[in-house]
Amino acid sequence: MTENTKPTEPEKEKESGNEATQSILDFGSAMTHTPHGNVYCLTIIGQIEGHTTASNNAKTTKYEHVLPLLAKLEESDEVDGVLFLLNTVGGDVEAGLAIAELIAGMTKPTVSIVLGGSHSIGVPLAVAAKRSFAVPSAAMTIHPVRMSGTVIAAPQTYNYFQRLQERIVAFVSGHSQISAEKFQSLMLKKDDMAADVGSVLYGEEAVRLGIIDAVGGLSDGLACLYRQIGKDES
């Protein structure tokens, strides 16, 4: 009496496919093996969730997931470059800055593409990569720092707001071509939004002002990433 043995290679491929699918479901991420190198694609979407959990019906990017993942990607020999796809409404300022600082500190080739929108704290996230792109229809809202919950009306509170805003301005101006003064003026612009202070920029305008490096989509971002990988290898 004989028993059929299970083929090993197809099972491995099946397991690999399941892992890739689960990674997309859990983290919005995927690894792609290309002739140019291994590219890890990571999405930053919805609300940047900080120390407080967002509502159940909100799409979120959780910093406690992203931070260790970025550290892992930086150390991994299997990853040659990282592509960030952004469509975020903003969210927790310190969580967003933490993610942006980690992206900016990576030595691996990195490219970001703004799709849909990268608003509020999404602006530092967009400029954190070594090269940034935005599709023509992308939008970026720039406004002063806000805080929800109980706010104590004291000079120290306003001083904290100002210092936090200065951190954001310094990061954006330090990782893009826009000056701190110009970015600050966009934050405080009074005639661009009906019931708020700030500015709404679209893809080409964000490039013209020096916040984003170039107008482009997926093919442009990947081509740039491949060039970075090629330079690293040479």
Side-chain angles (χ1 to χ4, degrees):
M1 189 174 179
T2 61
E3 294 182 2
N4 293 328
T5 57
K6 295 180 180 180
T8 55
E9 291 304 316
E11 281 297 320
K12 288 182 179 179
E13 292 177 4
K14 185 178 179 181
E15 289 176 6
S16 177
N18 288 339
E19 288 177 3
T21 301
Q22 194 61 43
S23 182
I24 294 173
L25 291 173
D26 291 342
F27 303 109
S29 62
M31 172 81 88
T32 305
H33 304 282
T34 78
H36 307 280
N38 298 331
V39 174
Y40 195 94
C41 177
L42 179 63
T43 58
I44 298 177
I45 61 165
Q47 181 179 338
I48 308 300
E49 190 178 87
H51 305 303
T52 304
T53 304
S55 61
N56 292 331
N57 61 347
K59 296 279 188 179
T60 61
T61 295
K62 300 178 184 296
Y63 80 104
E64 70 269 26
H65 292 171
V66 177
L67 294 181
L69 177 58
L70 291 174
K72 179 181 178 181
L73 296 178
E74 174 68 11
E75 290 297 310
S76 175
D77 293 332
E78 298 178 359
V79 178
D80 297 307
V82 185
L83 177 68
F84 297 95
L85 303 180
L86 285 83
N87 186 17
T88 174
V89 297
D92 187 282
V93 173
E94 291 193 342
L97 275 178
I99 297 172
E101 288 283 10
L102 210 55
I103 293 172
M106 296 179 73
T107 60
K108 294 277 177 74
T110 55
V111 165
S112 65
I113 306 176
V114 179
L115 305 160
S118 189
H119 305 288
S120 189
I121 198 61
V123 178
L125 289 166
V127 305
K130 290 181 173 60
R131 186 76 174 170
S132 60
F133 291 85
V135 297
S137 61
M140 304 179 81
T141 302
I142 301 168
H143 58 66
V145 173
R146 291 163 172 74
M147 182 175 290
S148 60
T150 303
V151 177
I152 300 173
Q156 294 89 335
T157 301
Y158 302 118
N159 183 48
Y160 170 75
F161 272 34
Q162 182 62 33
R163 293 178 66 186
L164 186 57
Q165 192 161 295
E166 288 171 357
R167 288 162 58 191
I168 296 170
V169 171
F171 184 91
V172 173
S173 62
H175 292 86
S176 68
Q177 302 304 311
I178 193 170
S179 67
E181 293 76 16
K182 180 61 178 176
F183 190 74
Q184 182 90 23
S185 69
L186 291 172
M187 273 185 165
L188 303 176
K189 195 174 179 182
K190 297 178 181 178
D191 57 355
D192 205 18
M193 290 190 278
D196 204 349
V197 175
S199 305
V200 180
L201 308 177
Y202 295 95
E204 294 179 354
E205 190 177 7
V207 173
R208 179 173 56 81
L209 290 169
I211 298 174
I212 299 296
D213 293 321
V215 174
L218 181 60
S219 60
D220 303 292
L222 286 173
C224 179
L225 193 61
Y226 295 152
R227 287 194 296 270
Q228 290 185 43
I229 293 172
K231 288 180 180 178
D232 279 6
E233 289 177 349
S234 63

